Amino acid sequence: GLYATIAQYVGGTFDGKNEHDIQFSLATQKLLKEAFAPFGEDDVLIDYHTHVMGLGVGGTCCCISKEFFEGSPKKKLTGRVYMSAGGVGDLANADRDYVDRLNDLTCQFPHRMVNVTLAFDKHYNEQGEYVEDRTEFYTPNEYIWSLFEEFPNFSPTVSVHPYRKDALEELEHWAAMGVRQIKWLPNAMGMDPASPLCDPFYAKVKELDMYLLCHCGDEKAVEGEEFQALGNPMRLARALDIGVKVIVAHCASLGCNERKNYRGGKEGEEEQGEDESAPVVKENFDMFLEMMGEPKWEGVLFGDISAVVLNNRSHYIRRILERPEIHHRLVNGSDYPLPAVSILVSTWLLYYRGLITYEERLSLNEIYSANPLLFDFVLKRCLKGPSGEKFPKETFLTNPFLPVFRK
């Protein structure tokens, strides 16, 4: 139908090419060699932010809101785009198509890459009740674990909502299995990181030596318009102040929120502007940078660079590159499948912003047509700030404070 046709065009490998058959030009081969040159034989590249989704086909127990298939035209198109970007050819085999495609793209890397695959919990209210009509999609912890057992290049991240009545038991179970990272997306899942309801959860996370990968900033990939304030990075102060390690996804690079003080586990007074009755509204990204300058949070607060190369976030790249003092606290992530949504990625815009050269742009386009996941990695290796600043090779390896799995 029309939605499937449009989605194929904007959502990934819409031209039907067999990626294994593509032969790169000499210039592109040179760029690939340069991108991987710093990494030794024993280095393992890490993607801390790889989404897995499905329809529940084959007993995976995944689900996606029916609105993606029966809702508004925009919603239906979004659903089709995600499926196309994930390499889903047949909805009757959607879950297997998705993970096979992800594994295939990863195995094409010339150096070993591990995708930290993310579970995604349901939306819960403050009474610990599951709210179906607020749940955009759901990827169970058990499914992510099964993929880890099947695919050598996958590593598991669980997702546990702090309002769940069994939240602490879930943390204990998965920590005992070796899992370290926990995925939150407050805007979509409905948790408030600044709520006292999270205190027992935070205490358990710290006790078990786990850490959070928490979306901050506005959320556009899934619905969360009524909950965008929950993406305020300042709300994480409650966790950080007791020593819970947190990766702020995307460096909070989208949207604005009120600049409030959540230090010491209490919500203080917001900053006041010239009009003392009006709270100060700041970009989430600026608040993230402010937080990274807090000495007490060195070693507990981190950021990931997932999705920062997409069109709606790429204007933040220069400012991230210009802050080398925080680069050791940044980790790589792709936010797959979003890099495979071709309408979201423009190498022309990145070239226009002075982040890549024209020659790099041509080669990156060539790589994109073969492997959008490889493109995302090589692009980030190419990015340069105004004084030649680049992300160090350590950004693309396991951060010593953030091991992805306990062996």
Side-chain angles (χ1 to χ4, degrees):
L2 177 62
Y3 292 115
T5 301
I6 297 174
Q8 266 195 322
Y9 183 74
V10 302
T13 53
F14 50 84
D15 54 9
K17 292 177 181 176
N18 183 331
E19 292 135 340
H20 294 285
D21 295 337
I22 293 178
Q23 297 296 316
F24 291 126
S25 67
L26 290 177
T28 300
Q29 292 178 42
K30 181 174 181 290
L31 186 67
L32 283 164
K33 185 176 180 180
E34 291 171 350
F36 287 94
F39 302 101
E41 186 176 334
D42 295 331
D43 287 334
V44 178
L45 307 176
I46 302 292
D47 180 343
Y48 276 85
H49 198 137
T50 312
H51 285 284
V52 171
M53 57 185 69
L55 305 180
V57 178
T60 67
C61 295
C62 295
C63 68
I64 294 179
S65 170
K66 64 182 180 180
E67 291 296 308
F68 285 111
F69 303 97
E70 303 172 5
S72 67
K74 177 184 176 183
K75 200 75 171 182
K76 288 192 284 188
L77 180 59
T78 300
R80 287 291 187 172
V81 166
Y82 284 154
M83 292 296 104
S84 177
V88 175
D90 180 2
L91 293 183
N93 198 43
D95 300 48
R96 176 47 53 171
D97 280 358
Y98 186 100
V99 295
D100 283 347
R101 158 80 161 166
L102 174 58
N103 183 60
D104 194 32
L105 294 177
T106 304
C107 289
Q108 291 174 32
F109 273 62
H111 199 99
R112 189 183 176 205
M113 164 69 82
V114 168
N115 291 301
V116 186
T117 51
L118 309 181
F120 199 92
D121 210 348
K122 301 172 182 177
H123 186 115
Y124 289 84
N125 62 25
E126 292 185 346
Q127 290 70 49
E129 300 164 333
Y130 162 47
V131 184
E132 183 177 3
D133 62 358
R134 293 287 186 188
T135 298
E136 291 288 302
F137 65 95
Y138 170 59
T139 303
N141 297 328
E142 292 78 9
Y143 179 51
I144 292 297
W145 182 263
S146 73
L147 296 178
F148 166 60
E149 293 182 313
E150 181 179 356
F151 295 101
N153 293 323
F154 290 3
S155 185
T157 288
V158 296
S159 184
V160 182
H161 198 298
Y163 299 169
R164 285 171 52 171
K165 293 178 173 61
D166 65 344
L168 303 189
E169 290 78 6
E170 273 287 286
L171 290 179
E172 289 176 340
H173 170 74
W174 293 111
M177 300 289 281
V179 178
R180 302 295 297 274
Q181 183 167 271
I182 306 156
K183 169 62 177 175
W184 277 11
L185 205 167
N187 320 45
M189 295 177 185
M191 73 277 286
D192 179 0
S195 170
L197 292 174
C198 295
D199 288 348
F201 188 93
Y202 291 148
K204 183 61 68 173
V205 169
K206 184 178 181 184
E207 174 193 328
L208 297 172
D209 195 23
M210 302 175 82
Y211 59 89
L212 291 172
L213 169 64
C214 185
H215 175 97
C216 287
D218 282 2
E219 171 52 36
K220 302 301 183 185
V222 297
E223 294 293 335
E225 292 299 328
E226 298 176 32
F227 297 88
Q228 297 293 15
L230 301 181
N232 185 338
M234 290 283 183
R235 290 183 178 271
L236 289 165
R238 193 176 197 97
L240 296 166
D241 275 342
I242 68 165
V244 174
K245 289 181 282 189
V246 181
I247 302 173
V248 171
H250 324 303
C251 295
S253 56
L254 209 60
C256 300
N257 268 300
E258 292 182 12
R259 197 282 183 207
K260 291 186 177 182
N261 175 24
Y262 296 95
R263 296 303 303 270
K266 296 180 180 179
E267 182 176 334
E269 297 297 322
E270 60 265 19
E271 286 187 3
Q272 301 295 324
E274 293 183 9
D275 177 2
E276 293 188 1
S277 65
V280 170
V281 175
K282 291 188 175 182
E283 288 198 42
N284 292 309
F285 177 75
D286 287 330
M287 289 189 281
F288 166 73
L289 290 182
E290 178 186 343
M291 294 167 68
M292 290 290 272
E294 169 56 63
K296 183 180 178 181
W297 292 341
E298 175 80 33
V300 291
L301 177 62
F302 303 85
D304 86 16
I305 57 172
S306 65
V308 299
V309 297
L310 302 186
N311 298 338
N312 62 340
R313 300 178 189 269
S314 62
H315 55 290
Y316 292 103
I317 296 174
R318 179 187 297 265
R319 294 181 61 194
I320 299 172
L321 289 171
E322 289 177 328
R323 296 290 296 271
E325 72 275 11
I326 69 170
H327 287 179
H328 66 290
R329 295 163 66 187
L330 301 179
V331 296
N332 183 44
S334 65
D335 208 12
Y336 183 86
L338 292 187
V341 181
S342 54
I343 200 171
L344 300 181
V345 185
S346 170
T347 55
W348 179 89
L349 185 59
L350 294 163
Y351 165 65
Y352 174 79
R353 288 178 166 154
L355 298 165
I356 58 174
T357 66
Y358 182 75
E359 292 74 20
E360 287 170 338
R361 180 191 172 219
L362 296 179
S363 289
L364 286 164
N365 288 344
E366 196 177 336
I367 296 169
Y368 190 87
S369 69
N371 187 324
L373 199 57
L374 179 62
F375 161 88
D376 183 81
F377 174 85
V378 177
L379 168 58
K380 288 168 180 168
R381 295 287 299 137
C382 290
L383 294 171
K384 293 186 184 69
S387 300
E389 304 96 336
K390 292 174 65 74
F391 292 121
K393 79 173 239 188
E394 289 76 16
T395 302
F396 303 91
L397 303 172
T398 301
N399 186 289
F401 289 93
L402 304 167
V404 296
F405 193 75
R406 182 185 292 106
K407 297 182 180 179

